[in-house]
Amino acid sequence: MAADQSSILAHIQSVRDSLPRETAQNVRARSELLQAAKRLVADLESPGDICERVVYQYVEIASIKVAIDLGIFKILEAAHGPKSVAELAKETKADPVLMGRIMRSLASLLAVETAGPELYTSNKVSKTFTVPKFAAGVKMSLDWAIPNWLQMPSWLEEIGYQNPSVGNDTTVRRAFKTDESGFEIISRIPGLLDAFSLHMSAFHEGRAN
C-alpha cells in the first residue's frame, strides 16, 4: 500500500508539472481538469473531512478578508524572500501572537506557503487577492452575499418551500432589515458599490464559456 501511495503521489506531481498553461486557448481544458480534480478530492474525503469542509467553509473567506485588510498578501508579494511572523506583525502593526495565528490559519487554507518555522511566502492564492478586482469579490461576498445566503434556510422553511410569490419578501429584506431594493442597499453601504463593479468585471475571468 505504501508503495502504491508513493506511486500515486508521484503521478499527481507529474500531472501538476504538465498542466496546460493559463491561456485563453486552454481555459476549457483546465476547467475539465479542475472538475476531475474536485471529483478526486470528493472520493478521497472521509465523512469527517466532508463535514469539516462544509461546516468551516466561511473560515476561509474570513481569514482571507483579514489578510487583505492587513495588507499581508501585498507584503508577501513585494518581499524578496520569506517573511517572518515578527516582520509581518511589525509592518502591519498587528499583535505578534495574533499574527502567528492568522498566518497558521492562512497556511492551513493553502492561501500562503510555509517556508520554515514562522516563515511565510506568497503563492497563487495570495497573489490572486493582491489584484483589486479579485479582492473586491471577498468584500462583496462577506458584506452582501453571505448575509443573504444565511437567511435562505429559515426563509424557505417559513414559506413552506413554495416558489416565492411576494415580490418584496426576500432574503435581502430579512438580512438587512429593510424594504430597500438590493441596489439601494449596495449603494448605501460604504465601498460596496465599487466592490460590486470590480467584482463583476472579474467574474468571468478564466472561466469556460
Side-chain angles (χ1 to χ4, degrees):
M1 178 61 73
D4 290 343
Q5 181 177 334
S6 297
S7 176
I8 292 170
L9 290 173
H11 182 63
I12 291 174
Q13 183 59 53
S14 175
V15 171
R16 286 184 63 192
D17 294 340
S18 60
L19 287 174
R21 295 175 57 195
E22 287 189 59
T23 64
Q25 293 75 23
N26 290 332
V27 168
R28 186 167 298 280
R30 291 179 66 90
S31 177
E32 290 173 355
L33 286 169
L34 179 59
Q35 291 306 311
K38 288 179 178 179
R39 287 193 291 271
L40 174 60
V41 169
D43 289 340
L44 286 170
E45 284 183 316
S46 69
D49 293 329
I50 293 169
C51 182
E52 181 178 351
R53 171 171 54 79
V54 171
V55 170
Y56 295 108
Q57 62 182 304
Y58 288 135
V59 172
E60 181 171 19
I61 192 169
S63 297
I64 286 175
K65 181 63 163 64
V66 170
I68 292 171
D69 291 346
L70 283 172
I72 291 171
F73 293 154
K74 289 183 177 180
I75 292 171
L76 294 178
E77 174 72 0
H80 298 295
K83 282 282 188 179
S84 69
V85 167
E87 289 173 319
L88 290 168
K90 183 177 180 180
E91 291 188 48
T92 61
K93 297 181 173 57
D95 178 82
V97 174
L98 178 61
M99 179 58 70
R101 292 174 175 172
I102 292 170
M103 297 311 297
R104 287 192 294 275
S105 175
L106 292 170
S108 73
L109 298 166
L110 305 182
V112 297
E113 293 296 322
T114 302
E118 296 202 329
L119 289 172
Y120 299 92
T121 60
S122 64
N123 63 12
K124 188 174 182 179
V125 175
S126 63
K127 290 177 181 178
T128 294
F129 291 109
T130 63
V131 180
K133 61 185 177 182
F134 296 126
V138 176
K139 178 177 177 61
M140 188 67 195
S141 184
L142 280 174
D143 291 358
W144 170 255
I146 290 176
N148 281 293
W149 295 335
L150 293 178
Q151 293 295 319
M152 188 172 293
S154 60
W155 176 62
L156 289 176
E157 180 181 22
E158 186 175 318
I159 64 174
Y161 301 100
Q162 301 301 303
N163 196 48
S165 58
V166 180
N168 66 347
D169 184 15
T170 64
T171 56
V172 173
R173 181 179 65 81
R174 295 177 181 227
F176 295 95
K177 297 178 174 57
T178 179
D179 289 325
E180 294 175 300
S181 68
F183 186 76
E184 288 173 326
I185 296 170
I186 290 174
S187 298
R188 69 171 168 79
I189 296 177
L192 194 55
L193 183 59
D194 288 341
F196 175 78
S197 299
L198 277 173
H199 175 55
M200 289 295 101
S201 74
F203 188 76
H204 294 289
E205 186 158 330
R207 294 170 179 262
N209 292 328

